[in-house]
Amino acid sequence: MLRILLGEPPRENSGVLAEAIDNMAKVASMLRREMNTHEDLDHEYRKLEIWTRGLISSLDELEQSWFAAAFFRKSVVAGYMDDMSPKEQGEYARYVYFYKNGFIRVFSLLDKLGTVLNSLYDLNTSKVKVHFSYFTVLRQFQLLEKHTALAGELEMIKNSYREPLENLRKRRNAEIHYMNAEMQDDLWQRHQGLHDKIRLEDLDSHLEDLKQSLEMVCKSLAASFRYSNEQWHKSKIAANIRSGHHPQ
């Protein structure tokens, strides 16, 4: 959607983004087939299907936020706020909007994934922490020693992106709990020299943190839903063997 508004061609999914979307779509289709086959009286399949399709939409929105932030960043050439023309100030404001939208969505999407994993694998994370996060769910996997293959892969992915995630976490916390992240940067600079011009934050470094975190989200989603697909097929094969039927 945003690419069209910005005069850009539609996105062609590739790499880890395509893998994540494809694996989620497979699980959503599998859940739909189960609903059609069984009555789903407790609506568990329906709930998980809605959550999974919601994750697909959330990932699309996160990727678009990163793309739009990168698009508007190209128009910001001044190194100081005071040196910007009114037009460039507008482009910078649009960059900030989509950058903020992106880093808030990173953690929102991860927490939604945590909710799905908690439900899929009966982790009962809410008994540990009522309002739990994705990272609480990862710790619960380890505590219960359940689905260790998936837990190990997700932990490895998280550790591989520790630095960009921590950078975004600090900015997210400043944005939500204290003050705007860019205002905090400005305040720090004012402390250095009362009459100095305000230098812009490192836009490229911030965008790279968002890009790396988007990649981390994609890999986590791809791993989670690939594993869920594999587990479902294994359980179906086992059920067929127990009933004397052979899988096709």
Side-chain angles (χ1 to χ4, degrees):
M1 180 182 68
L2 287 178
R3 282 175 169 81
I4 295 173
L5 293 176
L6 297 173
E8 296 290 315
R11 181 186 69 219
E12 293 185 8
N13 296 337
S14 62
V16 290
L17 177 69
E19 184 183 357
I21 292 174
D22 183 56
N23 286 346
M24 286 189 284
K26 287 178 180 176
V27 168
S29 295
M30 174 267 289
L31 290 165
R32 172 58 59 178
R33 288 195 301 272
E34 287 296 302
M35 278 188 284
N36 291 336
T37 304
H38 307 288
E39 291 189 36
D40 190 27
L41 294 177
D42 59 0
H43 303 291
E44 190 67 20
Y45 290 138
R46 179 60 175 156
K47 178 186 75 175
L48 288 169
E49 185 205 12
I50 291 172
W51 284 355
T52 301
R53 295 195 186 280
L55 282 173
I56 295 173
S57 296
S58 295
L59 179 57
D60 175 57
E61 291 161 0
L62 169 56
E63 191 281 336
Q64 289 189 74
S65 294
W66 167 79
F67 177 85
F71 179 91
F72 288 114
R73 186 267 171 274
K74 295 173 186 174
S75 301
V76 180
V77 295
Y80 295 88
M81 290 285 291
D82 297 337
D83 295 339
M84 286 185 182
S85 66
K87 181 179 179 181
E88 190 173 351
Q89 289 176 9
E91 297 292 90
Y92 174 67
R94 284 181 275 275
Y95 152 79
V96 169
Y97 175 86
F98 286 108
Y99 171 66
K100 285 182 185 178
N101 194 46
F103 68 62
I104 289 171
R105 284 183 181 279
V106 164
F107 296 99
S108 172
L109 201 157
L110 285 174
D111 288 346
K112 289 176 183 176
L113 172 59
T115 298
V116 172
L117 292 174
N118 181 67
S119 182
L120 274 173
Y121 299 114
D122 299 319
L123 300 177
N124 296 311
T125 311
S126 58
K127 292 183 178 179
V128 177
K129 190 176 181 182
V130 176
H131 302 293
F132 57 85
S133 70
Y134 171 72
F135 303 100
T136 312
V137 171
L138 291 190
R139 290 192 291 272
Q140 186 73 347
F141 267 125
Q142 296 177 341
L143 181 66
L144 298 178
E145 297 182 345
K146 296 179 71 173
H147 302 280
T148 54
L150 173 60
E153 186 174 3
L154 294 178
E155 190 70 24
M156 183 176 65
I157 292 169
K158 183 198 75 174
N159 291 336
S160 298
Y161 293 88
R162 186 180 299 277
E163 183 176 348
L165 274 176
E166 186 58 30
N167 291 339
L168 288 193
R169 190 201 303 273
K170 289 176 182 177
R171 297 186 71 79
R172 189 276 308 265
N173 289 346
E175 178 69 25
I176 292 176
H177 299 299
Y178 304 111
M179 64 179 78
N180 291 349
E182 68 274 12
M183 285 178 62
Q184 192 173 45
D185 289 339
D186 296 349
L187 183 62
W188 182 85
Q189 288 190 54
R190 289 301 190 197
H191 280 307
Q192 308 311 302
L194 184 60
H195 301 293
D196 291 348
K197 292 193 295 185
I198 296 175
R199 182 185 299 111
L200 288 188
E201 68 271 24
D202 189 339
L203 306 188
D204 291 329
S205 175
H206 289 180
L207 272 176
E208 184 61 23
D209 284 338
L210 183 55
K211 182 181 179 182
Q212 290 291 312
S213 297
L214 168 61
E215 190 174 282
M216 178 270 182
V217 168
C218 288
K219 289 183 178 180
S220 301
L221 288 166
S224 297
F225 284 89
R226 182 181 62 246
Y227 181 84
S228 297
N229 257 312
E230 291 169 353
Q231 291 298 302
W232 180 76
H233 285 298
K234 286 179 182 177
S235 67
K236 293 296 285 185
I237 290 170
N240 283 332
I241 291 173
R242 286 196 298 270
S243 64
H245 296 111
H246 296 287
Q248 298 299 313

